[in-house]
Amino acid sequence: MNVLVLGAGQLARMMALAVKPLNIEIRAYDVGSKQVLNPLAPEQVFGNLTDGIQYADAITAEFEHVAHDVLALCEASGKLKPTSQAIKIGGDRRLEKQLLEQCQADNAKHVIVKDKESFDEALNQLSLPIIFKSALEGYDGKGQWRLKFESQTSQTWLELNEFLKSNAKQGIVAEQMVPFQREVSLVGMRGHNGEIKVYPLTENHHTDGVLSVSLALDNEQKIQQQATEVFTRLTNKIDYVGTLAIEFFQVGDKLLVNEIAPRVHNSGHWTQQGADTCQFANHIRAVCGLPLGNTELIRPTAMINILGEDTIPNQMLSMPGVAVHWYGKSKRPGRKMGHINVSGDSQEQLNQRLSTIADILPDAAFADINAYIKGKC
Ligand code: AMP
């Protein structure tokens, strides 16, 4: 089978690597150059979008910010999975909140801000601190304003108004800041026949607003069940097909949805070593109408992102339970360049290995990650 992925970054590349053994070929549409290429050899140009649509048995996306005309063309072919509507929900916080309300999925109290009147309404309905998030094109903590003190109100409105005026399609979601204990996420998939499988939740740590460490959680039955129920309600509601991630804030033993990503997700990269079938293979299986693979945790596993670096100490390659994944990208500060999956036969062994890694990774680039790991292990 042949699959066209909209987006030609590391997620398309990892899908291609994961399904090669199933004789499934992936081509990727680069939204920048508007060309279709081989994600494992990006210099090999395959053709334009029309060629890619023709080639594909199924079409899917690796990210939610795909131009709507591209989505419409793909949908018209009858091959796009999930639907363009599902992809758009992930790219517009207003639609996302609407879906959460429809599914009665707990989330932070919020107000949609379009103008001064709705800004004042947000101040009335919510208490400080409030986080304002751009409805479109916001990711990794970008496009956000935090209002902590009343004295910042007029300056915040000035900035929001400027932002709203810059793009007529934009909007802002004002959200109550939640005093959460930790951030967790659930990655799972829904097959073409409605079959649902989810991986164990992961605990996520961020560095400068970007995910930097994910730890697969075992034995957290209560929140795992809560998260699975939300996943089931959301994906059934939109007849979703493929992998989807839900990010949550944990407050006590309650989960509040923060964001939905209608795609494979960075917090699911650990599944390459910690599960029989990884999120990338399962996503392609789902969109191709194939049975989903096992999503159970087969050994304790964690993932560390390599941000802004194109080398790590060579000795990591000889360490047991360590798998390094590079994305073949050129170096830029803070850029997701690769990740390291670390596994152990037991949680204790995984912790020992993570501790050793935190001693080896240079503090110049990994200080925050090393400090987090040392606090955990
Ligand atoms: P987001 O882009 O929505 O994931 O937000 C980026 C980060 O801001 C999150 O990972 C949280 O750490 C923080 N954040 C976002 N929304 C809230 C909220 N309602 N309450 C507290 N922290 C938040």
Side-chain angles (χ1 to χ4, degrees):
M1 290 183 92
N2 301 327
V3 177
L4 176 69
V5 177
L6 303 175
Q10 68 264 22
L11 302 178
R13 173 184 164 109
M14 288 188 274
M15 288 183 217
L17 286 167
V19 297
K20 214 51 181 169
L22 289 183
N23 273 346
I24 299 175
E25 282 296 320
I26 304 277
R27 293 290 175 269
Y29 174 66
D30 181 346
V31 295
S33 68
K34 299 191 163 70
Q35 284 180 323
V36 172
L37 44 82
N38 177 350
L40 301 180
E43 66 287 354
Q44 287 174 14
V45 174
F46 177 81
N48 60 21
L49 181 60
T50 311
D51 300 324
I53 292 173
Q54 230 162 42
Y55 162 85
D57 299 299
I59 305 173
T60 190
E62 67 150 19
F63 77 136
E64 49 275 30
H65 303 292
V66 179
H68 289 185
D69 57 339
V70 171
L71 289 178
L73 259 180
C74 293
E75 194 140 71
S77 73
K79 301 174 185 176
L80 183 65
K81 291 193 181 74
T83 62
S84 64
Q85 185 56 17
I87 296 169
K88 286 175 190 168
I89 287 169
D92 187 332
R93 292 186 194 271
R94 293 165 293 197
L95 300 177
E96 188 176 58
K97 287 291 189 193
Q98 224 174 56
L99 176 66
L100 294 177
E101 297 304 309
Q102 282 168 1
C103 295
Q104 290 163 351
D106 291 329
N107 64 100
K109 196 173 170 193
H110 58 274
V111 173
I112 308 294
V113 174
K114 297 185 279 241
D115 48 26
K116 182 69 167 66
E117 199 185 341
S118 44
F119 176 73
D120 289 340
E121 172 75 5
L123 296 185
N124 270 333
Q125 299 248 344
L126 312 172
S127 53
L128 300 185
I130 298 171
I131 183 165
F132 295 90
K133 302 179 180 180
S134 66
L136 307 171
E137 287 150 21
Y139 61 94
D140 287 346
K142 293 181 179 65
Q144 298 188 353
W145 298 260
R146 289 168 197 226
L147 176 55
K148 293 183 183 158
F149 309 106
E150 243 180 274
S151 58
Q152 301 167 319
T153 308
S154 47
Q155 179 59 29
T156 303
W157 170 245
L158 271 179
E159 289 176 26
L160 295 182
N161 192 30
E162 199 57 36
F163 178 76
L164 286 170
K165 282 196 303 195
S166 70
N167 179 351
K169 288 191 182 143
Q170 267 290 8
I172 285 167
V173 177
E175 221 176 79
Q176 186 71 65
M177 289 284 279
V178 174
F180 60 81
Q181 277 84 50
R182 62 176 176 175
E183 295 184 68
V184 299
S185 59
L186 186 77
V187 174
M189 48 284 316
R190 186 172 179 275
H192 69 120
N193 55 359
E195 176 193 15
I196 286 175
K197 285 196 174 172
V198 299
Y199 295 101
L201 282 162
T202 59
E203 175 177 323
N204 300 325
H205 176 72
H206 298 82
T207 302
D208 298 328
V210 179
L211 181 75
S212 53
V213 184
S214 285
L215 309 168
L217 296 173
D218 212 2
N219 300 320
E220 304 245 11
Q221 293 313 321
K222 218 168 154 184
I223 54 169
Q224 179 77 31
Q225 194 184 337
Q226 251 186 74
T228 306
E229 277 166 18
V230 173
F231 185 96
T232 305
R233 282 209 299 278
L234 289 177
T235 54
N236 281 342
K237 177 82 186 167
I238 54 176
D239 196 15
Y240 191 83
V241 175
T243 295
L244 177 138
I246 308 177
E247 296 180 42
F248 296 94
F249 298 130
Q250 183 175 355
V251 185
D253 55 8
K254 195 171 162 162
L255 295 182
L256 300 180
V257 177
N258 174 29
E259 276 188 333
I260 304 167
R263 55 174 167 80
V264 291
H265 193 255
N266 197 167
S267 69
H269 290 5
W270 65 270
T271 60
Q272 291 167 313
Q273 267 69 44
D276 280 335
T277 311
C278 70
Q279 63 163 351
F280 304 102
N282 260 337
H283 179 68
I284 298 299
R285 286 175 181 222
V287 303
C288 288
L290 297 170
L292 303 178
N294 184 18
T295 53
E296 283 167 57
L297 184 73
I298 53 168
R299 51 187 184 156
T301 300
M303 182 225 58
I304 300 168
N305 262 350
I306 306 171
L307 301 172
E309 292 298 309
D310 58 1
T311 55
I312 52 168
N314 248 344
Q315 71 191 104
M316 305 264 318
L317 293 175
S318 59
M319 287 179 63
V322 172
V324 180
H325 300 256
W326 289 108
Y327 307 152
K329 300 201 294 199
S330 53
K331 187 171 164 172
R332 222 190 291 139
R335 192 174 199 194
K336 289 178 180 170
M337 300 291 292
H339 67 272
I340 307 164
N341 285 337
V342 190
S343 305
D345 293 336
S346 62
Q347 192 62 45
E348 205 178 17
Q349 190 179 59
L350 171 60
N351 288 352
Q352 275 166 7
R353 288 175 177 170
L354 286 170
S355 281
T356 308
I357 287 170
D359 287 332
I360 295 173
L361 288 174
D363 265 340
F366 291 89
D368 180 70
I369 289 175
N370 291 341
Y372 171 73
I373 290 175
K374 283 178 183 161
K376 279 269 147 199
C377 303

